[in-house]
């Protein structure tokens, strides 16, 4: 007999093997269907366990190395290079879309909001993990100031790095989370890592930490946050660079 627990374990196994399966392929519809149902189960199981449950945190002694950089590590867009050349003094994070009070926040503005540190483990679908200390502003504090409309359901993160460059143009990295995860107490806009300013390779000047999710949800090089009631008009319709290429959108761990 297949119990609910078996289904949940199966879902976990499928999501762990996801990267290897999809790294070089986008086409297998049977696997895609398995992923779609695994994703529903992951959301259902996280809801059942409580979407507010905290990710595990670690002592300082568990930080054994710097966070291994992955994906984009050195954005080359002109606007990013201009900001970096001024040590990000002109950087502004825009909060826009379905909000009552759009925000434009400098790093100093963000640092003046409550700050929080946490030592957590980052899990990439490629099969590696790193424990690091992250410091930043809870996303909840920024959203509270922006006053989301009641109809808003998601935050879409637009990033400065072109993850794809081709003759037909550039694709800038984008990700999204729902407002339940946006208001989760460990969801941070992080400006520091291991007690130093966030390195360029790890997403300077500001990146997302969304601790109960796989690595690709942790958008680096944040440019803006757009609140919306639908992801349909972002990217290929899933509001996530990797979800639009076959990975799970929710990617809960
Ligand atoms: N803007 C942006 N964010 C990104 C990526 C990226 O390429 N661009 N890669 C993702 C992936 S797959 C992982 S594992 C983590 C890597 O973060 P790190 O470089 O700090 O280890 O960032 C995620 N966020
Ligand atoms: Mo990753």
């Amino acid at each position: 007999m297949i119990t609910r627990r078996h289904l949940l374990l199966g879902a976990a196994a499928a999501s762990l093997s996801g990267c290897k399966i999809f790294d070089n392929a986008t086409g297998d519809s049977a696997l895609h269907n398995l992923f779609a149902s695994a994703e529903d189960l992951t959301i259902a199981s996280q809801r059942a366990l409580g979407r507010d449950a905290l990710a595990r945190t670690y002592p300082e002694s568990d930080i054994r190395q710097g966070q291994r950089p992955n994906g984009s590590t050195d954005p080359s867009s002109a606007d990013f290079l201009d900001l970096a050349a001024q040590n990000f003094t002109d950087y502004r994070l825009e909060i826009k879309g379905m909000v009552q009070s759009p925000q434009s926040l400098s790093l100093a503005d963000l640092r003046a909001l409550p700050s929080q540190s946490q030592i957590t483990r980052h899990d990439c679908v490629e099969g590696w993990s790193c424990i690091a200390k992250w410091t930043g502003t809870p996303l909840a504090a920024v959203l509270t100031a922006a006053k989301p409309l009641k109809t808003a359901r998601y935050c879409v993160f637009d990033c400065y790095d072109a993850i794809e460059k081709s003759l037909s143009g550039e694709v800038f990295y984008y990700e999204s989370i729902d407002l339940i995860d946006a208001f989760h107490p460990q969801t941070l806009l992080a400006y520091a890592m291991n007690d130093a300013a966030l390195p360029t390779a790890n997403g300077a000047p500001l990146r997302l930490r969304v601790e109960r999710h796989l690595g690709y949800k942790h958008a680096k090089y944040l440019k803006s946050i757009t609140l919306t009631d639908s992801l349909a008009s972002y990217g290929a319709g899933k509001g996530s660079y990797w979800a639009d290429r076959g990975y799970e959108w929710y990617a809960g761990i």
Side-chain angles (χ1 to χ4, degrees):
M1 190 182 107
I2 296 178
T3 62
R4 185 175 149 76
R5 183 166 160 75
H6 280 110
L7 286 171
L8 292 177
L9 290 173
S15 64
L16 281 177
S17 58
C19 160
K20 300 264 158 35
I21 294 171
F22 282 113
D23 259 355
N24 303 306
T26 47
D28 189 320
S29 62
L31 281 172
H32 265 95
N33 291 342
L34 172 63
F35 264 78
S37 57
E39 181 169 2
D40 288 347
L41 282 167
T42 312
I43 298 176
S45 64
Q46 282 210 1
R47 281 219 163 95
L49 295 172
R51 292 277 304 269
D52 284 343
L54 297 180
R56 179 171 172 192
T57 57
Y58 297 79
E60 301 259 355
S61 55
D62 280 343
I63 304 173
R64 293 187 190 92
Q65 72 255 308
Q67 166 83 7
R68 169 181 164 165
N70 198 41
S72 299
T73 54
D74 202 6
S76 57
S77 59
D79 52 358
F80 182 84
L81 293 176
D82 285 350
L83 291 170
Q86 307 298 324
N87 206 16
F88 299 107
T89 45
D90 294 335
Y91 173 81
R92 297 289 181 277
L93 175 74
E94 306 294 335
I95 321 286
K96 56 191 186 171
M98 298 179 76
V99 292
Q100 261 177 55
S101 307
Q103 307 278 313
S104 176
L105 302 171
S106 67
L107 291 172
D109 294 334
L110 287 161
R111 286 202 193 88
L113 288 167
S115 108
Q116 180 174 314
S117 292
Q118 58 209 25
I119 300 173
T120 52
R121 196 182 76 183
H122 178 103
D123 296 314
C124 174
V125 282
E126 290 168 6
W128 55 270
S129 301
C130 269
I131 293 174
K133 180 177 183 178
W134 304 100
T135 302
T137 313
L139 179 54
V142 169
L143 293 179
T144 301
K147 302 195 187 81
L149 304 185
K150 285 207 171 57
T151 44
R153 290 186 57 198
Y154 305 99
C155 289
V156 179
F157 302 88
D158 280 301
C159 305
Y160 278 104
D161 57 309
I163 177 101
E164 253 178 63
K165 290 173 201 157
S166 68
L167 289 177
S168 52
E170 294 179 318
V171 180
F172 290 87
Y173 200 86
Y174 55 98
E175 250 308 338
S176 52
I177 59 175
D178 66 25
L179 287 194
I180 299 175
D181 290 317
F183 280 93
H184 184 279
Q186 289 172 317
T187 300
L188 293 187
L189 299 174
Y191 44 71
M193 188 189 92
N194 295 338
D195 295 318
L198 189 61
T200 300
N202 302 105
L206 195 69
R207 74 159 323 152
L208 181 67
R209 293 300 308 169
V210 54
E211 302 293 356
R212 296 185 62 209
H213 295 263
L214 285 171
Y216 58 87
K217 300 299 288 183
H218 301 237
K220 307 195 283 187
Y221 314 111
L222 294 178
K223 181 177 195 167
S224 65
I225 304 177
T226 306
L227 280 91
T228 177
D229 59 353
S230 164
L231 298 174
S233 64
Y234 297 91
K238 294 206 162 158
S240 156
Y241 177 78
W242 284 114
D244 279 333
R245 281 152 189 82
Y247 287 77
E248 286 183 57
W249 174 79
Y250 188 68
I253 47 176

